[in-house]
Amino acid sequence: MERIRLADGLTFSRLIHGCWRLADWGYSREQLLSLIEFCLERGITTFDHADIYGNYTCESRFGEALALKPSLRARIEIVTKCGIKLPSKYGMKLYDTSKNHIIASVEQSLRHFHTDYIDVLLIHRPDPFMNPEEVAEAFLQLKQDGKVRYFGVSNFKRSHWDMLQSYLPFPLVTNQIEVSAYRLENFEDGTLDLCLEKRVPPMVWSPLAGGAVFSANDERAVRLRGALEQVREELGAETIDEVLYAWLLVHPARMMPIVGSGKRERIERAVRALSLPLSREQWFAILQSSMGHDVP
């Protein structure tokens, strides 16, 4: 599988396996280890987490599976996020990007994963109470201590990115954002332009729009399903899932879709999308079906 270079010494697999709903899959440690190996066999080596996923349980579940075969750690890249506090643990939902919280969150993640380093740490959401000096201090300490190799952000717009980057002595390596043929916000507001400008490959969450493309009955979803089905037939693809992934993969921003499923057949569909030769005309047909009109 193609690999995407994010920095000197860091590449990700073009497809990333997402562990947001890992706690819902009902897998034993052995079953989860088997799924990790299934991904590795197909070239998917990058795994996306956050401290809060599964109400603070997904990291430890993944780590318990990994502990059954510790040699796999050297073959994978672990991405995790911090900065959100949930009501279940803190009494209310809030953001916390203080130095103490970032460092404590990483220490907890290291224990959960049974590892001594995180490949990439992301700030999960823009924090309106962020002190960028504290974030920079936390990042520098974690990097110097060898606990985090690289840093990035998630759901940041241009102003958030520029503000935080200005305090750091090293570049942020990625921005994890929502993009799909159904959700065009980050096309429209310049966030993808920012990624291209900074030469930063974005991680893409919800590439299938959380299933809305398949189940929603609004006009956009209906139009989009029709266009996707037509392109699917033209390409000889098995499902429109593959076309949705291909639509992202052919874009010059080098997007890395996050496949957030524990089902092997859904992972296989994303892998098959890597070989779909989507044309510029097909790409624009899908875009315009989502917008409901021709491009200006």
Side-chain angles (χ1 to χ4, degrees):
M1 179 180 294
E2 177 190 6
R3 298 194 64 80
I4 299 295
R5 180 184 176 276
L6 285 80
D8 290 341
L10 178 68
T11 62
F12 280 0
S13 52
R14 186 67 196 271
L15 296 174
I16 295 170
H17 191 249
C19 299
W20 176 25
R21 293 192 170 92
L22 184 154
D24 300 331
W25 299 340
Y27 286 170
S28 66
R29 291 185 302 166
E30 292 76 12
Q31 289 171 323
L32 184 53
L33 175 62
S34 176
L35 183 67
I36 294 170
E37 293 181 315
F38 175 87
C39 289
L40 289 174
E41 289 166 2
R42 281 145 187 82
I44 301 173
T45 65
T46 309
F47 294 84
D48 178 66
H49 290 265
D51 55 354
I52 62 170
Y53 285 172
N55 196 23
Y56 300 96
T57 66
C58 290
E59 288 185 338
S60 58
R61 288 171 187 258
F62 188 90
E64 289 167 3
L66 207 56
L68 296 174
K69 197 170 182 179
S71 62
L72 292 183
R73 177 64 187 96
R75 297 175 56 193
I76 69 174
E77 301 82 42
I78 293 177
V79 180
T80 197
K81 312 177 199 69
C82 69
I84 299 176
K85 289 181 172 179
L86 295 182
S88 59
K89 190 172 182 179
Y90 295 97
M92 65 179 292
K93 183 178 180 180
L94 69 154
Y95 298 152
D96 188 345
T97 53
S98 65
K99 179 179 179 180
N100 287 343
H101 180 71
I102 292 171
I103 292 174
S105 179
V106 168
E107 296 285 1
Q108 175 179 268
S109 294
L110 293 172
R111 291 192 296 270
H112 285 166
F113 289 125
H114 301 283
T115 188
D116 56 3
Y117 69 96
I118 301 297
D119 292 283
V120 180
L121 177 71
L122 310 179
I123 298 298
H124 205 153
R125 290 273 177 181
D127 175 7
F129 199 64
M130 177 185 288
N131 180 342
E133 290 183 350
E134 282 201 36
V135 177
E137 288 174 7
F139 282 9
L140 280 168
Q141 182 174 324
L142 291 166
K143 189 174 185 65
Q144 289 168 359
D145 292 345
K147 294 177 179 178
V148 179
R149 298 178 62 213
Y150 300 92
F151 301 86
V153 293
S154 179
N155 303 296
F156 273 42
K157 302 300 184 184
R158 177 179 288 273
S159 62
H160 309 130
W161 175 281
D162 289 344
M163 178 271 294
L164 181 56
Q165 182 63 79
S166 73
Y167 284 82
L168 297 172
F170 45 75
L172 297 165
V173 299
T174 192
N175 188 6
Q176 185 176 133
I177 56 178
E178 181 181 14
V179 188
S180 69
Y182 187 76
R183 308 282 190 197
L184 301 174
E185 174 187 327
N186 285 304
F187 273 101
E188 296 165 343
D189 67 9
T191 302
L192 274 171
D193 293 336
L194 172 68
C195 294
L196 284 162
E197 175 189 328
K198 304 299 183 183
R199 279 70 167 173
V200 171
M203 301 171 67
V204 170
W205 62 271
S206 203
L208 305 182
V213 176
F214 312 107
S215 58
N217 292 315
D218 59 277
E219 291 183 4
R220 169 173 283 187
V222 172
R223 287 194 311 266
L224 187 53
R225 279 198 295 273
L228 290 166
E229 181 60 31
Q230 180 176 337
V231 173
R232 184 201 67 76
E233 291 181 4
E234 292 170 358
L235 295 174
E238 294 183 24
T239 66
I240 62 172
D241 305 37
E242 299 167 48
V243 180
L244 282 164
Y245 282 116
W247 191 79
L248 299 172
L249 290 165
V250 300
H251 191 274
R254 297 182 297 154
M255 290 185 252
M256 298 173 286
I258 299 170
V259 186
S261 178
K263 296 181 178 179
R264 285 165 167 75
E265 63 271 21
R266 290 194 175 274
I267 297 170
E268 290 278 23
R269 291 174 190 174
V271 172
R272 289 199 299 268
L274 290 162
S275 60
L276 287 183
L278 204 71
S279 70
R280 184 182 293 261
E281 289 76 16
Q282 290 167 328
W283 194 91
F284 272 95
I286 292 168
L287 174 67
Q288 292 174 170
S289 72
S290 181
M291 295 190 302
H293 55 78
D294 291 344
V295 291

